[in-house]
Amino acid sequence: MAASTLSEVARLAGVSLATASRVLNGSSRKPAEDIAERVREAADKLGYVPNAQAQALAKSSSGLIGLIVHDIADPYFAAIARGVQEAARQQNRMVLLASTSGAAQDEKEAVAAFAARRADSIVIAGSRSVRAEDKQGNIELAAELDRYCRNGGHVGVVGHPVVGASTTEGYHVVKVPNEELAAGLAADLAATHHGDFLIIAGPEGLYTSDDRVRGFQRGLADAGKPAAEVIRTGFNRAGGYEAGLALADRIKASAERLCIFAVNDVMAIGVTAALRPEGVWIPRDATIAGFDDIETLRDFRPALSTVHLPLEDIGRLAAGDPDTPPVSGVVKLRRSTETPVESQA
Amino acid sequence: MAASTLSEVARLAGVSLATASRVLNGSSRKPAEDIAERVREAADKLGYVPNAQAQALAKSSSGLIGLIVHDIADPYFAAIARGVQEAARQQNRMVLLASTSGAAQDEKEAVAAFAARRADSIVIAGSRSVRAEDKQGNIELAAELDRYCRNGGHVGVVGHPVVGASTTEGYHVVKVPNEELAAGLAADLAATHHGDFLIIAGPEGLYTSDDRVRGFQRGLADAGKPAAEVIRTGFNRAGGYEAGLALADRIKASAERLCIFAVNDVMAIGVTAALRPEGVWIPRDATIAGFDDIETLRDFRPALSTVHLPLEDIGRLAAGDPDTPPVSGVVKLRRSTETPVESQA
DNA sequence: GTCATGTGGGAAAGCGCATTCCCGTTGCAA
DNA sequence: TTGCAACGGGAATGCGCTTTCCCACATGAC
């Protein structure tokens, strides 16, 4: 049994298709109340559910908003997704999800799929990359996006413009002041930490990571500190863990406390997790700060110093919500970078 | 400029609509290679992207799979969402997301919206509830689902059947052995813990919570222990936090260590977070176990004893992936329920 | 050479709906 | 009473595509 159609409803109510349509879906023309009532009754009796596909086809507007993330189970993206979801809800739309694990090629396919579904707008979260292996993918992605925009689509990108995208109509970037905030974090840390700094970053070419590294270094420089050494690894917990493992001996051997900046929270957690079984305690033997202020991680101990980012707002902004304030982060210094009492003075 | 259509492609290639369709979208009839090539070239030149809406309308199959969660930012749901997403990818579909914060009324609307989009199948994650205030909502939800199934839709529900749903064709439940696993957890804990047990549960009527409570009590009984006191609170971190606050004094006053079972991990984390500033240390002053084994929480210290649930698999199963093994959880005893050395013997 | 068979392309009929015309009614002013 | 505008309902068209049906042609066997 297929779902009942509008024409069935119209027939049962004894009215024309047009009238039934006008009654059931908001039209500017309002049929008389008695007729409307008859139509509604008929629809109710048949359990009529309008076919959104057909509506979309007829009106050429799908009520869909596409969301592209690396991994929906990553709390960073999940938080953004929540914001997008909320904005969609307000706009009376639904969100279409695509996970791509960050490959530009996959993202291109996702954009094409969204375009095929005639999504009203597309949100791309997740860091852009200029790595060589992504070059071809980036070009194709940019072309696909460009085409989508020219066909009237709206695109919201979190963080950085898609590499090579010519800024066309309907394309907007939610800027995240990664560099400034990282600089701020460095400044705050430099105020109390007197030893070396070390940065655990994602792979080179990842914009978000690179921005944060640059900002942090600038902050250090402004504070009159020497540049920090940079270790490159995966942009996730596993990457942090690995780096932590590699670092343990060095920390234990050194007399001075090291201040580690991991370019995102989950990496910082990974570092901490690797260091702990090695007997390296935070903040006693080393201090560490992250970035993002992931909600699920706030109960970690030692509480992680980080930079708070309004991820939900970012999602809302990218989804085109006009009432959301612009992105502004806040440095949160917590226990993980506290200077222990015995080493003060 | 609207996207180019199939008929434009056909015209440019000098073939009929039918032929173009057969070339570009998998049909059983394969046009001759030279013609096919011409069509593909034309499509390429025009940047043709098939209109999935129109395709869906014509073949009455949308390639959409709807996912209903309470909150996509909750790591539990995010993990399930990842599984659903993967299954969708394998089936060459896209997932449509809806967050409802658990209200049956909202879920009903989400189902209706999915039905309107002619989603091929719907996955409902999140706990069902028999609370009085959800009664009406549940009835409507069941009716909506029933209608959707009769119209040929497939529904996968995580955990428990929707209250009042008559098991129709196309309706399947991914059973999660909450009760058995909770019993297993209780048995394992009872083997080493000799004091009282206490359960921090979600609101009464929430199936998942109730099952875990019942299972835990049964496990205690089987081990010859008296039933645990049950505290009811919110099924989230805030609920756990509140309960922890209320519990702190009692724990401090008591000479005996209490073993707390929070019915999910985030609640357990909430409890721990509330207890910590009160000077109550886990596992020294009390032990605690959770449920779900949320990935993001695995780096918490003390490591949380819990029951591992294959959340991604659950998502995959609910999305109708046939290759996924059935759900089986595992009790994970970790540091949070370890008996400290000084109190042994 | 004829007819059955098969092959491959095209015309056309929808899929379910919104919307533009079109036309019969009604209300009101002149 | 007539004329005109405003109103409200219906027929028909089209959104972009799939698919059935039909037909022209080529091929083979007899």
Side-chain angles (χ1 to χ4, degrees):
Chain A
M1 163 188 168
S4 50
T5 72
L6 186 58
S7 69
E8 286 172 29
V9 174
R11 193 176 337 127
L12 181 60
V15 300
S16 80
L17 207 61
T19 304
S21 169
R22 290 197 264 253
V23 172
L24 296 177
N25 315 50
S27 162
S28 52
R29 287 183 53 175
K30 298 283 169 204
E33 188 47 41
D34 54 335
I35 290 197
E37 189 50 38
R38 272 222 318 278
V39 174
R40 273 191 289 265
E41 263 174 32
D44 219 53
K45 188 181 300 180
L46 292 176
Y48 170 71
V49 177
N51 185 326
Q53 314 270 5
Q55 290 188 174
L57 190 56
K59 309 196 270 213
S60 60
S61 150
S62 63
L64 252 30
I65 153 168
L67 171 61
I68 299 180
V69 297
H70 289 3
D71 174 9
I72 189 62
D74 181 323
Y76 171 83
F77 291 110
I80 291 181
R82 185 202 255 160
V84 172
Q85 163 75 33
E86 278 168 11
R89 202 188 174 92
Q90 274 177 20
Q91 301 169 17
N92 217 352
R93 301 182 202 280
M94 302 212 72
V95 3
L96 261 175
L97 189 63
S99 298
T100 63
S101 50
Q105 176 63 29
D106 286 356
E107 300 194 336
K108 176 215 146 198
E109 275 164 27
V111 170
F114 289 155
R117 300 224 139 71
R118 298 301 186 262
D120 298 333
S121 53
I122 294 181
V123 173
I124 306 186
S127 188
R128 312 288 88 230
S129 143
V130 291
R131 279 173 296 176
E133 67 259 43
D134 284 332
K135 182 136 183 236
Q136 185 57 30
N138 273 326
I139 292 175
E140 291 179 19
L141 173 58
E144 199 70 47
L145 277 177
D146 197 50
R147 177 192 299 169
Y148 174 74
C149 284
R150 273 193 321 236
N151 288 346
H154 299 237
V155 173
V157 186
V158 173
H160 262 282
V162 169
V163 180
S166 49
T167 314
T168 35
E169 192 76 22
Y171 181 88
H172 84 278
V173 178
V174 178
K175 283 208 165 182
V176 179
N178 282 310
E179 194 172 334
E180 290 72 10
L181 290 168
L185 175 63
D188 287 3
L189 291 176
T192 61
H193 181 82
H194 304 300
D196 282 345
F197 287 86
L198 183 140
I199 301 177
I200 298 183
E204 188 146 23
L206 212 62
Y207 272 154
T208 307
S209 172
D210 288 352
D211 284 355
R212 293 177 183 179
V213 170
R214 196 179 319 116
F216 197 83
Q217 298 282 35
R218 201 188 69 206
L220 288 181
D222 288 352
K225 302 271 183 184
E229 179 189 347
V230 178
I231 296 182
R232 305 227 168 248
T233 177
F235 196 63
N236 49 27
R237 187 213 175 259
Y241 189 84
E242 211 174 292
L245 240 38
L247 222 53
D249 285 338
R250 196 162 127 187
I251 295 180
K252 284 188 283 190
S254 160
E256 214 179 31
R257 274 198 316 155
L258 188 63
C259 178
I260 303 169
F261 169 50
V263 293
N264 69 39
D265 278 2
V266 292
M267 288 176 74
I269 294 300
V271 173
T272 311
L275 253 28
R276 196 183 295 114
E278 299 284 335
V280 177
W281 289 75
I282 308 286
R284 191 194 61 191
D285 307 321
T287 59
I288 189 165
F291 207 111
D292 287 342
D293 198 23
I294 299 293
E295 197 175 331
T296 327
L297 266 31
R298 282 189 208 148
D299 287 319
F300 263 100
R301 287 302 175 271
L304 189 62
S305 290
T306 188
V307 176
H308 176 77
L309 242 33
L311 294 174
E312 273 188 54
D313 285 355
I314 289 176
R316 266 204 220 86
L317 282 169
D321 186 305
D323 303 328
T324 306
V327 180
S328 68
V330 182
V331 173
K332 298 271 183 191
L333 291 189
R334 299 201 268 239
R335 181 120 172 72
S336 74
T337 53
E338 257 174 34
T339 306
V341 179
E342 66 266 25
S343 79
Q344 278 184 339
Chain B
M1 166 186 167
S4 52
T5 72
L6 185 57
S7 69
E8 287 172 26
V9 174
R11 192 177 336 128
L12 181 60
V15 299
S16 80
L17 207 60
T19 304
S21 168
R22 290 196 266 254
V23 172
L24 295 176
N25 316 51
S27 161
S28 52
R29 285 185 54 176
K30 298 281 169 204
E33 188 46 41
D34 55 334
I35 290 197
E37 191 47 41
R38 272 221 319 277
V39 173
R40 273 191 290 266
E41 261 174 33
D44 218 53
K45 187 180 302 180
L46 291 177
Y48 170 70
V49 177
N51 185 325
Q53 313 271 3
Q55 287 183 304
L57 189 56
K59 2 184 223 208
S60 58
S61 150
S62 61
L64 253 29
I65 153 167
L67 171 60
I68 300 180
V69 298
H70 289 5
D71 174 10
I72 189 62
D74 180 324
Y76 172 83
F77 291 111
I80 292 181
R82 185 201 258 160
V84 172
Q85 163 75 34
E86 280 168 10
R89 202 187 174 94
Q90 274 176 22
Q91 301 168 17
N92 216 353
R93 300 183 201 282
M94 301 213 72
V95 4
L96 261 175
L97 189 63
S99 298
T100 62
S101 50
Q105 176 63 30
D106 286 355
E107 299 193 337
K108 177 212 144 201
E109 276 165 27
V111 170
F114 289 156
R117 300 223 140 72
R118 299 299 185 261
D120 298 333
S121 53
I122 295 181
V123 173
I124 305 185
S127 188
R128 313 285 88 229
S129 143
V130 290
R131 280 172 297 176
E133 66 260 41
D134 284 332
K135 183 137 181 233
Q136 185 57 31
N138 273 325
I139 292 175
E140 291 178 19
L141 173 58
E144 199 70 47
L145 277 176
D146 198 51
R147 175 192 302 165
Y148 174 73
C149 283
R150 273 193 322 236
N151 289 346
H154 299 237
V155 173
V157 186
V158 173
H160 263 281
V162 170
V163 180
S166 48
T167 314
T168 35
E169 194 75 24
Y171 182 88
H172 84 279
V173 178
V174 178
K175 282 207 167 184
V176 179
N178 282 309
E179 194 172 335
E180 290 71 12
L181 290 168
L185 176 64
D188 286 2
L189 292 175
T192 60
H193 182 80
H194 303 301
D196 282 344
F197 287 88
L198 183 140
I199 302 176
I200 299 183
E204 188 148 25
L206 213 64
Y207 273 153
T208 307
S209 172
D210 288 353
D211 285 355
R212 293 175 182 179
V213 169
R214 196 180 318 115
F216 197 83
Q217 297 283 34
R218 202 188 70 205
L220 289 182
D222 289 351
K225 302 271 182 185
E229 179 188 347
V230 177
I231 296 182
R232 305 224 167 251
T233 178
F235 195 63
N236 48 27
R237 187 215 175 255
Y241 189 85
E242 210 174 293
L245 240 37
L247 223 51
D249 285 339
R250 198 164 126 188
I251 295 179
K252 284 188 281 191
S254 160
E256 214 179 31
R257 273 198 318 156
L258 187 63
C259 178
I260 302 169
F261 169 49
V263 292
N264 69 40
D265 278 2
V266 292
M267 288 176 74
I269 295 300
V271 173
T272 311
L275 253 28
R276 195 182 296 115
E278 298 285 334
V280 177
W281 289 75
I282 306 289
R284 189 193 64 190
D285 307 320
T287 60
I288 189 165
F291 206 110
D292 287 340
D293 197 21
I294 298 294
E295 196 175 331
T296 327
L297 266 32
R298 281 188 208 146
D299 287 318
F300 262 100
R301 288 301 175 274
L304 189 62
S305 291
T306 188
V307 175
H308 176 78
L309 242 34
L311 294 174
E312 272 188 55
D313 285 356
I314 289 175
R316 265 204 221 87
L317 282 169
D321 185 304
D323 304 327
T324 306
V327 180
S328 67
V330 182
V331 174
K332 298 272 183 191
L333 291 189
R334 300 200 267 240
R335 180 120 173 73
S336 75
T337 54
E338 258 174 34
T339 307
V341 178
E342 66 267 24
S343 78
Q344 277 184 340

